[in-house]
Each structure stands twice: as structure tokens, then as C-alpha cells.
Amino acid sequence: MERKSNKEAKQYVWEGAIPLQIHLHQSEVTTLPSPPPALILAPRIGYLPLLVPQVRPFFSSALPPGVDTVWFDYKGLPLKWYIPTGVLFDLLCAEPERPWNLTVHFRGYPTNTLTPCENEDSVKWSYINSLKEAAYIFHGNCKNVMNMSQADQVELWQSVMNGNLEAYLRVSSKLKFGIFGDAFSLRLNSSPSNSRERADLDATGTVTSGRIPVRLYVWSIQEDFDNLEDAASFDSWDKISYINRPAEIDGEGKCFSLGDAIKILLPEIFGDRPSASDDIYKAEAEDYSKLNPKEASNVEGTTVISESKDVESCNLPKPAEIKLLRIQGIEPKLEIPFTWLANNLTNPDHFLHICVYVKVPEQSTT
């Protein structure tokens, strides 16, 4: 029953989509009148470059000659192509915009802001690298991903591209990520686990302790707002702290809520010291990176096993207030069990992507 419920919840995630209204940038229009916008239903778990085969033919008759890398922007902000479409929407639209108005460019790729995305293979390998990172966090190594057969790798990627949950579950089950024990439906192992131990799976594949791969996108703002439509405009990626940090499940049987996890994941906001397991994870990450420099490479300056941006650079003053927290388009209450979120709302890369708006007070000049 538990696994059936998990599958049903995942089905909703995989069927999630965002209506897009895509405009061709005016500087690239060569016909009169200008072409109408393209209307596309984009999968939440997908990536913007995967829409190019639909977008390019729609605007082909209006484009100037030549070939360049396609990219998208929202209100002038170039969109990072390796972040899932649903995460971009949750992060950039405090008040959800439907349809979501994006602009497509076929010229002038912003290499100062975005790493190159040559074709579908760039997106595929970005996804595989994320999967390696999640595996390292969960298992302590990337062997299950590295040892995938070519056929399984192709089928896994095709399942993500086509939104085929059945095929995805069939292949990804070989990676042995398992399901975290939910305090509402399972009795967890009562014995505490050492923070250095890896995920502990019982005979049914249920994880009683381990580390949940989490990616947080933290936007620090100084302007207060009561309504989402009054939130400040997002105009620079420099305002985002992009954080990879695992959430530890200790297996003691207590309810570990989203609020508990956020306090541990963002000690810069709540004033808590990073846990010992977090220090261990960083040390392990550094060791792994030294031993496996090629496997540790990833896009846009991130690595397979380390934080893509030093979280200390957030420099969030205290006190701070969470104004918005969104996962898969949902704004969950902080009391919800974190294991339920990990079991049901993760992306196909096995990361739980969390978008957070944080209200921080202005720095005193005295």
C-alpha cells in the first residue's frame, strides 16, 4: 500500500506541466507581421532545451540565416538550461504566471551568464552528473550509476524525456535509492545510526537511515511583502544562493519535519551550527574530488559531490524570515514529514529541489 501511494504521488509529479507562451525576440524577426507566440505545455521535470525541436520549426520562417545555440529568457534574465523547468518557474514567479511568457533567442548566446548547451547530449550529461551526485550523497559512491549498461542509460534518459514513469521506475530501481521510512506509516528502526553510515535498507528496500540529496535555491530579499504579487522582481542570478547539502535521516523513529530539515540545511538563516555529518560530508567530498577529478566535473561550476557555491557567501544576517517555500509548485506546511517529500516530490535526478524566498533585514551602516 505504501509503495502504491508513493507511485500515485510520483505520477502527479511526472504529469505536472507548465503552459508556456514563447515569443521570438524582436531583434531576430525578419518578417512582417511578426510571428505569433508559440504555445507549448512544458513538463515540470523537463528542461528548456528539450523544447527546441518544437520551437525552432515554429519560428523558422521568421529567422535570419545562420545557426547559433538556442536560449531562453524571462523578463531579460537568461534562464539556466540545466535547472528543471518546474524549478525555474517556482523560483522566478512568486505569483504563478499562466501562461508563462518566455522569450526565445536563436542568436547572441550569453556566454558570460550561461555555459554552452550544444544539443540534447549536453542536457543528458548534465542530468547524469546530477544522478551521480545524488548517488554519492545517498550511497557514498557513484558505482551504481557508473556501472549502468548503455541500454539502461539510454532507456533512463528516454523515460525522462518522454515522461514515461513506468520505464523510469523499472530502470532507476537498479540504482537502489530505496524509499525512506515515513513516520506516519512505518515503524522506523529504533537504533540510532552513526552519521558516517550509509543508507540502511531493510529487506523490502525501505530506507531507515541515510542522507537525502537536496538542492536549495535561496533568494535573499530586503523588501517585505504580504502578497506574492508584491515580491521584488528577480533580475540577476547573483541574488541566488545555489546550495547542495544533504539532509540526514537518523532512523530514531521520530518525526523529522520539513521545518526541522530547513533549520539544519540553512544554519546561516536560523543560526544553528552545521552538523558534524555535514562536516564529514564536505571532507569526504574533497577526498573524492581529489581521487576522481574527472567524475567530479559538472556543468556551470558545480561538482558531483560538493557544494556549487560556498554557502557561507550567502552572508545572511539574523533574524531572517522565510516568505515563500515551494517544492514542485506546492507550498507545503513546515510540519509535513520530510521523508514524505523525499519519497514523493523528488525530480528524476533523485534530488529534492526546494525554492526559498528569505526576507533579510538591511545591513546597518553604523
Side-chain angles (χ1 to χ4, degrees):
M1 180 63 69
E2 175 71 14
R3 291 182 181 276
K4 181 180 179 181
S5 175
N6 286 334
K7 184 177 178 181
E8 289 176 349
K10 283 185 177 295
Q11 189 72 49
Y12 281 110
V13 170
W14 277 63
E15 292 175 352
I18 300 168
L20 303 182
Q21 185 165 260
I22 302 177
H23 306 260
L24 177 62
H25 194 268
Q26 195 61 38
S27 67
E28 300 179 26
V29 175
T30 62
T31 60
L32 289 176
S34 298
L39 300 176
I40 294 177
L41 199 59
R44 270 189 154 272
I45 63 170
Y47 302 85
L48 289 176
L50 301 182
L51 303 177
V52 172
Q54 300 177 61
V55 175
R56 191 191 298 272
F58 188 88
F59 293 114
S60 60
S61 61
L63 293 175
V67 178
D68 198 357
T69 303
V70 182
W71 57 286
F72 298 82
D73 84 58
Y74 176 58
K75 296 183 176 180
L77 178 73
L79 299 181
K80 294 182 181 286
W81 54 267
Y82 56 85
I83 297 178
T85 304
V87 178
L88 287 171
F89 182 69
D90 291 345
L91 181 64
L92 301 181
C93 297
E95 181 66 28
E97 178 183 311
R98 298 185 180 89
W100 191 22
N101 284 277
L102 302 182
T103 300
V104 63
H105 302 254
F106 292 83
R107 301 290 184 274
Y109 194 83
T111 54
N112 61 326
T113 304
L114 305 178
T115 54
C117 178
E118 302 299 336
N119 48 40
E120 178 193 318
D121 277 349
S122 297
V123 187
K124 173 185 175 181
W125 290 116
S126 171
Y127 165 74
I128 294 297
N129 278 334
S130 291
L131 202 60
K132 289 179 184 178
E133 184 177 355
Y136 186 82
I137 292 172
F138 194 92
H139 296 295
N141 61 69
C142 309
K143 292 179 181 179
N144 288 345
V145 179
M146 299 291 291
N147 295 336
M148 288 180 69
S149 68
Q150 184 66 24
D152 281 348
Q153 191 178 105
V154 170
E155 185 175 5
L156 184 67
W157 175 239
Q158 288 294 325
S159 71
V160 174
M161 285 188 61
N162 301 325
N164 188 337
L165 179 59
E166 291 289 342
Y168 171 81
L169 293 176
R170 182 171 59 253
V171 180
S172 65
S173 64
K174 300 178 183 180
L175 302 178
K176 301 184 183 303
F177 278 92
I179 295 176
F180 285 94
D182 190 326
F184 283 140
S185 56
L186 296 172
R187 173 179 292 182
L188 299 182
N189 189 340
S190 59
S191 61
S193 61
N194 186 282
S195 60
R196 288 188 64 92
E197 289 181 354
R198 302 306 176 193
D200 178 22
L201 276 69
D202 64 17
T204 65
T206 299
V207 181
T208 57
S209 63
R211 293 184 289 195
I212 298 174
V214 179
R215 279 193 174 141
L216 298 105
Y217 308 79
V218 184
W219 183 11
S220 302
I221 54 178
Q222 293 186 338
E223 301 82 4
D224 201 0
F225 60 88
D226 294 323
N227 300 312
L228 292 179
E229 60 266 24
D230 297 328
S233 177
F234 183 90
D235 56 9
S236 171
W237 287 106
D238 292 337
K239 295 182 178 179
I240 287 293
S241 294
Y242 178 56
I243 303 166
N244 292 342
R245 182 175 280 171
E248 187 89 16
I249 302 298
D250 60 15
E252 293 180 348
K254 64 182 180 181
C255 180
F256 184 66
S257 70
L258 172 59
D260 296 330
I262 292 297
K263 289 179 180 179
I264 294 172
L265 291 166
L266 296 176
E268 294 76 17
I269 294 177
F270 293 97
D272 296 337
R273 294 179 60 85
S275 66
S277 63
D278 193 45
D279 293 336
I280 292 170
Y281 171 71
K282 289 182 179 180
E284 292 170 344
E286 291 174 359
D287 292 341
Y288 183 84
S289 183
K290 292 176 183 177
L291 294 173
N292 304 272
K294 292 184 179 180
E295 292 180 18
S297 62
N298 201 346
V299 296
E300 194 73 12
T302 64
T303 61
V304 172
I305 40 70
S306 63
E307 295 181 8
S308 60
K309 181 176 180 179
D310 185 355
V311 71
E312 297 298 333
S313 66
C314 301
N315 195 27
L316 296 174
K318 296 182 284 291
E321 176 188 2
I322 293 179
K323 301 295 291 186
L324 177 66
L325 190 152
R326 192 173 282 160
I327 307 172
Q328 296 289 7
I330 301 169
E331 297 173 23
K333 293 183 178 181
L334 295 179
E335 294 77 20
I336 192 169
F338 195 68
T339 48
W340 187 93
L341 299 173
N343 288 335
N344 296 287
L345 299 187
T346 53
N347 273 62
D349 60 4
H350 284 279
F351 270 92
L352 186 65
H353 295 256
I354 305 177
C355 300
V356 187
Y357 286 17
V358 181
K359 166 67 170 60
V360 296
E362 293 186 20
Q363 295 281 3
S364 174
T365 58
T366 58

